Amino acid sequence: MSVNIEKLNQIRQELLPYNAALVAVSKTKPVADVHEAYNLRQLVFGENYVQELAEKQKQLPSDIHWHFIGHLQSNKVKQIASFVSLIHAVDSFDLLKEVNKQAEKSQRIINCLLQVFIADEKTKFGLSYKECEELLTDEKLKLLKSIRVCGLMGMATNTENENKIRQEFKQLHSFYSANKQNFLTENNSTPFLSMGMTSDYKIALEEGSNMVRIGSALFGNR
Ligand SMILES: *Cc1c(COP(=O)(O)O)cnc(C)c1O
């Protein structure tokens, strides 16, 4: 149980030409592993269970940027609202409203990505392209002053078929490009396109990802 340093360095090199950010996915891994990666200057970590994230956040350095990457239930937003730096998988207006409400209470602005359902699988959460576009252009969104919808997230089908994965990422990238003006980012920086994990991050980068979420390559199998 520890960080694969060679892999971390290799991935960092691979991300450079794309100017892409690395979210180290530490779910189910012990605090010690996160600390080890932190000591290697990894500052961004992704978790997908609210309780686990809240526990880890308390025990680890305060300059870590915690991303919530899993499916978030409205009634759990308040447990992470005071510190979470990016929520990757928002898939409804109601959830955005709740994040906005809790952000306001914490006197913060919380960055959010909309999750688009791009996979050919029934089990994954997310919005259809149509629903996503409607949400992004909905006037009501502008009333939520304590959130920023600063990009998109997607998960490709879990398949050996690289071509299928590539097509799914390509389509999400083109939707992202067509909607760039609808994202709100801190200091007008580039909106995020979060796609790619251990098995498919290279394809994701080639297809325009600027944020990859990598767990098992860094911390070992779960
Ligand atoms: C677990 C998880 C990852 C990381 O998966 P690996 O295959 O371990 O890299 C990425 N994104 C999401 C949403 C996850 O839940």
Side-chain angles (χ1 to χ4, degrees):
M1 280 195 301
S2 59
V3 180
N4 186 330
I5 298 175
E6 285 94 277
K7 224 25 201 191
L8 176 61
N9 286 330
Q10 179 205 315
I11 291 168
R12 282 175 169 165
Q13 290 303 317
E14 288 170 329
L15 296 183
L16 276 180
Y18 299 99
N19 218 343
L22 171 60
V23 180
V25 176
S26 49
K27 63 186 185 201
T28 78
K29 299 295 173 182
V31 163
D33 287 9
V34 179
H35 218 283
E36 191 185 343
Y38 173 82
N39 288 337
L40 298 163
R41 302 180 321 281
Q42 177 63 32
L43 291 181
V44 182
F45 293 89
E47 291 281 340
N48 71 342
Y49 297 105
V50 166
Q51 198 57 40
E52 185 180 348
L53 170 54
E55 293 292 322
K56 282 177 171 162
Q57 190 267 342
K58 275 186 264 176
Q59 299 172 60
L60 284 152
S62 60
D63 57 340
I64 287 181
H65 301 275
W66 292 103
H67 289 194
F68 191 79
I69 62 172
H71 181 68
L72 182 57
Q73 289 170 277
S74 285
N75 61 350
K76 298 199 168 160
V77 175
K78 54 173 153 331
Q79 297 182 51
I80 58 172
S82 65
F83 65 86
V84 71
S85 75
L86 180 62
I87 299 175
H88 282 237
V90 177
D91 61 1
S92 73
F93 188 76
D94 284 348
L95 181 54
L96 280 178
K97 264 195 342 211
E98 178 63 15
V99 175
N100 185 70
K101 180 176 152 194
Q102 298 300 333
E104 214 171 355
K105 281 192 189 168
S106 297
Q107 296 181 296
R108 303 182 62 224
I109 294 178
I110 297 182
N111 295 314
C112 296
L113 307 180
L114 297 181
Q115 180 176 9
V116 185
F117 179 87
I118 61 172
D120 180 15
E121 288 165 7
K122 290 223 157 54
T123 54
K124 288 182 182 147
F125 297 99
L127 299 154
S128 69
Y129 283 112
K130 185 164 174 284
E131 291 168 330
C132 189
E133 180 152 13
E134 279 168 7
L135 211 167
L136 275 172
T137 52
D138 193 329
E139 287 299 316
K140 290 196 304 251
L141 190 58
K142 298 201 180 76
L143 303 175
L144 306 182
K145 302 290 185 197
S146 301
I147 55 159
R148 279 188 209 100
V149 174
C150 57
L152 301 175
M153 180 269 213
M155 289 170 86
T157 304
N158 184 6
T159 171
E160 302 278 292
N161 184 344
E162 278 199 16
N163 214 35
K164 182 171 180 54
I165 297 170
R166 188 175 297 282
Q167 287 315 313
E168 291 171 355
F169 285 152
K170 200 188 276 298
Q171 199 182 0
L172 184 57
H173 178 256
S174 101
F175 179 82
Y176 158 89
S177 300
N179 281 281
K180 266 198 178 152
Q181 74 287 355
N182 294 320
F183 301 119
L184 211 60
T185 59
E186 216 168 335
N187 309 319
N188 274 324
S189 56
T190 309
F192 296 120
L193 180 56
S194 166
M195 52 183 204
M197 33 209 267
T198 295
S199 60
D200 57 17
Y201 74 89
K202 289 179 197 179
I203 306 172
L205 290 168
E206 286 166 7
E207 297 305 331
S209 168
N210 59 21
M211 181 174 274
V212 295
R213 311 174 309 271
I214 298 184
S216 39
L218 299 174
F219 297 109
N221 289 329
R222 288 178 296 271

